[in-house]
Amino acid sequence: MKISLTRLLIYIILAIFSIFYIIPMYIMVVTGMKSFAEVSLDTMWNLPNSFNFNSFSLAWLGSIKEGFRGISGSFLNSVFLVVPATVISALFGSLNGYVLTKWQFRGSDLIFTMILFGMFIPYQSIIIPLVLTLQRLHVYGTIPGLILVHVIYGIPISTLIFRNYYVTVPTEMVEASKIDGANFLGIYRWVIFPLSTPGFAVAMIWQFTSIWNDFLFGLIITPNPASQPITVALNNLAGSYIVQWNVQIAGALLTALPPILIYIFLGKFFLRGLLQGSLKG
Amino acid sequence: MQIKGDKWTPILFITPSIVAVGIFVYGFISWTSFISFTKWNNVMPDYTLVGFENYRKLFNNMRFQIDLHNTFVFTVIFVTSCLLIGLLLAVLIDQRIKGEGIFRNLFLLPMAVSFIVSGVIWRWLFNPGSFQLGNIGVNQLFEKVGLNFLTCGWYTDPNIGIKAVAIAAIWQFSGYTMALYLAGLRGIPLELREAAAIDGANQWKTFYYITLPFLRPITFGAIIILGHISLKIFDLVVAMTGSGPAFSSDVPAFFMYDTTFRGNHFAQGASIAIILLFLVSLLIIPYLITTFRKEA
């Protein structure tokens, strides 16, 4: 079979772009695996001679001798933050989406649009009152405070995802249950919820990744290292002059790992969330 | 019958969300606007009203003028590159090529990682090195493959500054536009393309007269989404460069953080935030209205 010139050209262009996308990934993986003897800025593009996890363990545990903090504690903070925040905001999204598609009331479309606006605002425009309010509620600087914040500001996107999903569930099913005498919660429990797995998958994966990757809220709401999420810890690690560059890059890889694993294993749902983020269901 | 009782139950269940968004989005925005009209530019709150004083100072502030310019440069480079690269890659991938899944997943992978992660890596890749170290990062790579003329100071060069940040952002988001366009291309009815082929249109003509018009709503949506991301860009700047030499990579969102939480100029910070919100609203509100009016 002969490959036409156009085909060849297509592959060449794709290959060139692939290099652009691979380079940062390549540096992350290669640098992390080099031993301290081998790691040097002169040879940063070379492949490692052997497998070694020194950089990772230093980034993870930190070093008392060199005087910097590892990111392991923050990694756990992020887990304790992301898991409840993801589950709670998905539940809110599911209920809202159910109401907005199957129990529409006067003004419900306007309310939906007004809720949606919340996902586009620059959070700088609410951050000062937010800090003052969290201080008043005595949750400023704590992980529960961050959970509250992510749940509330996650309502718009999770509502959108579920609304777009429930639009595809035939309304006749709901109508039929209404005639059979089922009430609002009964229909949710027995008709809608059992059908919601794909919606939950999309919403939870989206929320997991965006909360894990969030930086602004963590930076401002948890200034104390003990409750900082991982992105803030990584930024501190990378901003420190005493931390070697290879340790910084190993820290970046550790921070990126959970979302990358999700992307690799559940990419289909990740993509769906991504496309819905642009409002097209 | 439970119909009557059920009329209020749905509203009851959505009320907590409405109240939360009402307070935390709309209430807080009003609160921030209020702060922006006060004298609170110190550690202790001072709610004496000063009218548009903070805004007047802001627009006379050199740093803010540079920030607006940087945002403009960043937005133009970032949005056009993402659209062009995304469209190109989507069209190429749509040609029923081998290894389609591999390319698609590779191009989209950067979307999954945090801006802080990409900022840390690109900071090392765009590190211009030093006299002792010689070339490192991308410059070293260029040197190795004989593209020496491409080596430069990247974000340490005030003339490049924010453009280096834009490259990292393009790396992260061009896969997203590819995915949008690819979904759009797959949505074009086959009959449409076939009809064009029967009418004797060549591939370029089909692309220009059938494909591009079909993709127009996607392009429109992508411009809104990418444009509002550019206005809000913050994390990447923090992790990669900070303000940079002569504020060459400074942006309003970073200025807001800097002046509010490091400088305790709360009213000044609030006024920056409100201007940012205003710019984002100019893009988003018409988009929200048109999108949902169409559906209703």
Side-chain angles (χ1 to χ4, degrees), chain A residues 125-126 129, chain B residues 22-23 25-37 274 277:
Chain A
S125 65
I126 49 89
Chain B
I23 295 173
V25 174
Y26 294 94
F28 283 6
I29 287 174
S30 319
W31 192 346
T32 306
S33 321
F34 170 71
I35 294 173
S36 76
F37 292 119
I274 293 301
L277 178 72

Side-chain angles (χ1 to χ4, degrees), chain A residues 25-38:
Chain A
M25 306 289 175
Y26 171 81
I27 283 293
M28 266 210 286
V29 174
V30 164
T31 307
M33 289 194 304
K34 285 177 183 169
S35 70
F36 289 140
E38 208 189 333

Side-chain angles (χ1 to χ4, degrees), chain A residues 232-247:
Chain A
V232 181
L234 172 66
N235 187 55
N236 292 342
L237 187 80
S240 161
Y241 290 101
I242 51 170
V243 181
Q244 292 273 317
W245 68 286
N246 51 300
V247 178

